[in-house]
Amino acid sequence: MAREVGVTAKTVSRVLNDDGPVAVETRERVMAAVTKLGYQPNLMARNMRVGARDAAIGLVIPEMGNPFFGMVAGGIESAVRARGLTLIVGSSSETADLEQSLIATFLARRVSALMVVPSAASDHRHLRTERVAGLPIVFLDRPAVGLRADSVVSANREGARSGVAHLVAYGHRKIGFVGDLPATLYTRRERFQGYRDALDQAGLPFDRSLVETGHDQEAASRAALRLLSLDDPPTALFAANNLASMGTVLALSRAGRRDVALVGFDDLPLAEVLDPPLTVVAQDPAGMGATAAELVLSRLDGDRSRARRSLVPTRLLVRGSGELPPPR
Amino acid sequence: MAREVGVTAKTVSRVLNDDGPVAVETRERVMAAVTKLGYQPNLMARNMRVGARDAAIGLVIPEMGNPFFGMVAGGIESAVRARGLTLIVGSSSETADLEQSLIATFLARRVSALMVVPSAASDHRHLRTERVAGLPIVFLDRPAVGLRADSVVSANREGARSGVAHLVAYGHRKIGFVGDLPATLYTRRERFQGYRDALDQAGLPFDRSLVETGHDQEAASRAALRLLSLDDPPTALFAANNLASMGTVLALSRAGRRDVALVGFDDLPLAEVLDPPLTVVAQDPAGMGATAAELVLSRLDGDRSRARRSLVPTRLLVRGSGELPPPR
DNA sequence: TTGTAAGCGTTATCAA
DNA sequence: TTGATAACGCTTACAA
């Protein structure tokens, strides 16, 4: 395009890429034309010729609106920015179909790497070809299904165990579990295991009726209310994710109950201001993104070691709601 | 690539695009090879040949972690998904430089449209060329600077006015303003104007000492505390964005003050559970994203009418904190 | 210091 | 129904 202006064709390329030698006067004429025409070299053409992949990382998350994934994306982006990589994000609405088609789009686009927060029912066998071809693929928050691949997940089980053990340490012997759906979801299962671990370690019996489930804030709220209206209700609750926490807080607030202890998994913005302030097992979403990004970068740099699972530690933030003693 | 398998070259293209006539048997052989090799046509090459732009929309936001922008992105994405467009997101960290370089990357990538939440100090004159070339460009949350272009923004001024008028209606005559930084930011200025509008309409004097500022939650908290410790302190506060709201709530909670009325701009997740529940002027981030997306789509469909500014209405959510009367 | 030819993977055009 | 050829905008390799 800019070749109309000066006189040449590929000299422009030389100028723009600081490639071969260029006469000062030529360079200036070219640059002038470039700024005048607002010329932008076509990246697609360049990549195709060079055989390079698109300088982008494809990220699939279940839901854009969820701040947890927003912070994950933020962690990735800042870790990756220095390398000139941009982030392409798509949301799967937690469905396997959309996830697949997003991944297909990313692959057709020849992204440099793939990062996926798998939806509940998805399967990743079809990515084997790409994996062996050397495309960096990292799974976030939940591991891959049917594929050995890198993954970065929270210390869900240990975190949940510590949260529940905290309640046990304050004297609770009947502790309700408010989980999300579907119950087959990796994080849900792991955190549930942590809950059981804590009970086992304390020699407390597992009571199936103390487990309730809700897939959004309102449903979680109802789930918490069901637990509280049992004949022999729990004296403490453990909420297994941020929506469950919010729902449970809502339920307690509506019921005017300030006597029920509560520990939530995942931190909330105003946790400190609640009454009582909310004790949580905090995750580190930005750290998770950054860890995954570093893993991807090392893979791009040629690290071919075998797939690893990275565990991002959680932190118990003691604020009040988890330290309420059982009534007596 | 798949041409090794069958016998042909561009017949594959015919099959994959349902183009010319293809023998049933040929089609089957091709499809077989495609699935066997996991073949994905190279989108970059296709776009280059067809002269089409990349089927992606470039979105620049100031901060990934902020749920407000996450919801905006979500609104865009779902509105645009049906058209087969994907979303490319970059964050500018609220700096003009990064914003510019992100935009340049998107342009080099030949995105089909550009959506920008401008950072505070940026200027968009350089986008004129693209605009006149017909590239859809929409500014979100804040309008463009130095460029006539489509924009979709909240009804900041009217929303703020109604929030402050609400406080006035409950008898307050000294109302503090907790804003964010920089004070030159469009949303900040508009909401401040709304605040003044409400005072004017009520015949209340404007008092410069009742205006304080903080650029994050902690700073906003300190700002609120400064207002409360004035000799003649305000009986009500208006917080001009979500961070300011959270900081103010924090300050009131720490100071144990339940007697100060508060209206926040932008809703918060647990607003309902706070004590007192938080009255807010709610924005509609997902709606904002959807509106912007529809604007872009109509532009892509050839709508060349002149640039328009779309105002997304706000909604006053009455919950308690804004209805506290002044002490007497 | 600059130009020429070729080719990246795809599709439009025309011929077989 | 299929193939050959050229072209999209760029860069590599080599020649001028």
Side-chain angles (χ1 to χ4, degrees):
Chain A
M1 283 299 162
R3 44 209 55 157
E4 334 290 20
V5 196
V7 265
T8 47
K10 111 115 204 177
T11 310
V12 180
S13 164
R14 282 200 252 261
V15 173
L16 267 50
N17 299 317
D18 277 341
D19 205 23
V22 187
V24 186
E25 193 249 356
T26 314
R27 140 169 286 115
E28 281 173 359
R29 270 192 309 157
V30 172
M31 292 309 279
V34 163
T35 54
K36 181 166 143 246
L37 277 75
Y39 171 78
Q40 295 272 145
N42 187 324
L43 254 187
M44 297 191 288
R46 171 175 219 290
N47 287 337
M48 194 172 74
R49 171 65 241 239
V50 182
R53 305 195 65 98
D54 191 349
I57 292 183
L59 170 68
V60 182
I61 57 180
E63 212 64 65
M64 291 254 176
N66 191 325
F68 180 83
F69 299 117
M71 305 213 48
V72 170
I76 297 171
E77 216 235 1
S78 41
V80 127
R81 198 207 298 291
R83 289 281 279 259
L85 293 165
T86 56
L87 199 60
I88 305 186
V89 191
S91 95
S92 64
S93 306
E94 197 79 74
T95 65
D97 280 359
L98 260 169
E99 179 186 319
Q100 283 244 27
S101 87
L102 277 170
I103 290 177
T105 313
F106 291 158
L107 292 177
R109 196 185 261 297
R110 300 297 189 267
V111 292
S112 297
L114 209 49
M115 303 182 105
V116 182
V117 178
S119 65
S122 63
D123 179 279
H124 305 98
R125 258 179 296 234
H126 59 106
L127 286 173
R128 260 216 29 214
T129 325
E130 317 291 334
R131 262 244 343 132
V132 303
L135 182 76
I137 308 182
V138 175
F139 291 84
L140 278 159
D141 193 42
R142 315 161 189 174
V145 175
L147 181 75
R148 205 161 350 149
D150 291 323
S151 64
V152 178
V153 300
S154 275
N156 290 293
R157 186 164 176 174
E158 168 54 19
R161 191 207 58 75
S162 74
V164 175
H166 185 71
L167 291 168
V168 171
Y170 278 81
H172 295 276
R173 303 185 51 81
K174 282 185 80 76
I175 302 173
F177 181 92
V178 183
D180 52 344
L181 277 179
T184 54
L185 198 66
Y186 170 78
T187 46
R188 156 71 199 250
R189 288 197 329 259
E190 288 289 306
R191 292 169 197 171
F192 182 65
Q193 275 308 322
Y195 167 75
R196 302 226 24 190
D197 290 346
L199 296 184
D200 287 351
Q201 286 173 9
L204 294 175
F206 168 63
D207 179 350
R208 214 188 149 61
S209 68
L210 293 182
V211 177
E212 283 282 359
T213 276
H215 57 294
D216 61 29
Q217 186 171 328
E218 272 307 318
S221 174
R222 289 194 300 272
L225 283 181
R226 281 197 297 277
L227 288 173
L228 294 179
S229 54
L230 289 174
D231 285 342
D232 186 10
T235 60
L237 298 175
F238 179 75
N241 73 357
N242 54 0
L243 264 55
S245 293
M246 292 200 285
T248 305
V249 166
L250 204 62
L252 293 177
S253 159
R254 284 176 184 163
R257 299 286 299 265
R258 296 234 180 75
D259 58 329
V260 180
L262 172 61
V263 170
F265 199 99
D266 205 12
D267 203 6
L268 301 179
L270 287 175
E272 178 185 347
V273 167
L274 299 176
D275 182 25
L278 185 65
T279 293
V280 299
V281 178
Q283 299 189 82
D284 180 10
M288 197 154 126
T291 305
E294 272 150 34
L295 194 45
V296 157
L297 292 182
S298 80
R299 294 297 183 194
L300 286 174
D301 288 338
D303 174 1
R304 292 286 163 127
S305 58
R306 72 177 212 289
R308 43 177 182 273
R309 169 165 315 182
S310 191
L311 231 55
V312 180
T314 59
R315 216 153 46 98
L316 185 71
L317 300 183
V318 174
R319 293 200 181 108
S321 72
E323 295 75 47
L324 298 179
R328 172 85 1 138
Chain B
M1 283 297 164
R3 43 208 55 153
E4 333 291 20
V5 194
V7 265
T8 47
K10 114 115 200 178
T11 309
V12 179
S13 165
R14 281 199 253 261
V15 173
L16 266 49
N17 298 317
D18 277 341
D19 205 22
V22 187
V24 185
E25 193 249 355
T26 314
R27 143 168 284 115
E28 282 174 358
R29 270 193 308 157
V30 172
M31 291 311 278
V34 164
T35 54
K36 180 166 144 247
L37 276 73
Y39 171 77
Q40 296 273 144
N42 186 324
L43 255 186
M44 297 192 286
R46 171 173 220 291
N47 287 337
M48 192 173 75
R49 170 65 243 239
V50 181
R53 305 197 66 99
D54 191 349
I57 292 184
L59 170 68
V60 182
I61 58 179
E63 211 65 64
M64 291 253 176
N66 192 326
F68 181 82
F69 299 118
M71 306 214 46
V72 170
I76 297 171
E77 217 236 1
S78 41
V80 126
R81 198 208 298 293
R83 288 282 278 262
L85 292 166
T86 57
L87 200 60
I88 305 186
V89 190
S91 96
S92 65
S93 307
E94 197 79 75
T95 65
D97 280 0
L98 259 168
E99 179 186 320
Q100 283 245 28
S101 88
L102 276 169
I103 290 177
T105 312
F106 290 158
L107 292 177
R109 202 185 258 300
R110 300 295 190 267
V111 291
S112 298
L114 210 48
M115 303 183 102
V116 182
V117 179
S119 65
S122 63
D123 179 280
H124 305 97
R125 257 179 298 231
H126 59 105
L127 286 173
R128 263 222 19 221
T129 324
E130 318 291 335
R131 259 237 355 123
V132 304
L135 182 76
I137 308 182
V138 176
F139 291 83
L140 279 158
D141 193 42
R142 316 162 189 175
V145 175
L147 182 76
R148 205 162 349 149
D150 293 323
S151 64
V152 178
V153 300
S154 275
N156 291 293
R157 185 165 177 173
E158 168 54 19
R161 191 208 57 75
S162 74
V164 176
H166 185 71
L167 291 168
V168 171
Y170 277 82
H172 296 276
R173 301 187 52 81
K174 282 186 80 76
I175 301 174
F177 181 93
V178 183
D180 52 346
L181 276 179
T184 54
L185 198 66
Y186 171 78
T187 47
R188 156 71 199 253
R189 287 197 330 259
E190 288 291 307
R191 292 169 197 171
F192 182 65
Q193 276 308 322
Y195 166 75
R196 304 230 18 194
D197 290 347
L199 296 184
D200 287 352
Q201 286 174 9
L204 294 174
F206 168 63
D207 180 350
R208 213 187 149 62
S209 68
L210 293 182
V211 177
E212 283 283 357
T213 276
H215 57 293
D216 61 29
Q217 186 172 327
E218 272 307 318
S221 173
R222 289 194 301 273
L225 282 181
R226 280 197 298 276
L227 288 173
L228 294 179
S229 54
L230 288 174
D231 285 341
D232 186 11
T235 61
L237 298 175
F238 179 75
N241 73 357
N242 52 1
L243 263 53
S245 293
M246 292 200 284
T248 305
V249 167
L250 204 61
L252 293 177
S253 160
R254 284 176 183 163
R257 299 286 299 265
R258 297 234 178 73
D259 58 330
V260 179
L262 172 62
V263 170
F265 199 100
D266 205 13
D267 202 6
L268 302 180
L270 287 175
E272 179 184 348
V273 167
L274 298 177
D275 182 24
L278 185 66
T279 293
V280 300
V281 178
Q283 298 189 82
D284 180 11
M288 197 155 125
T291 304
E294 272 149 35
L295 194 45
V296 157
L297 292 182
S298 80
R299 294 298 183 193
L300 286 174
D301 289 338
D303 173 1
R304 292 287 161 125
S305 59
R306 72 178 211 290
R308 43 178 183 273
R309 168 166 317 182
S310 191
L311 230 56
V312 180
T314 58
R315 215 154 45 97
L316 185 72
L317 300 183
V318 174
R319 294 202 182 106
S321 71
E323 296 74 47
L324 298 178
R328 172 86 1 142

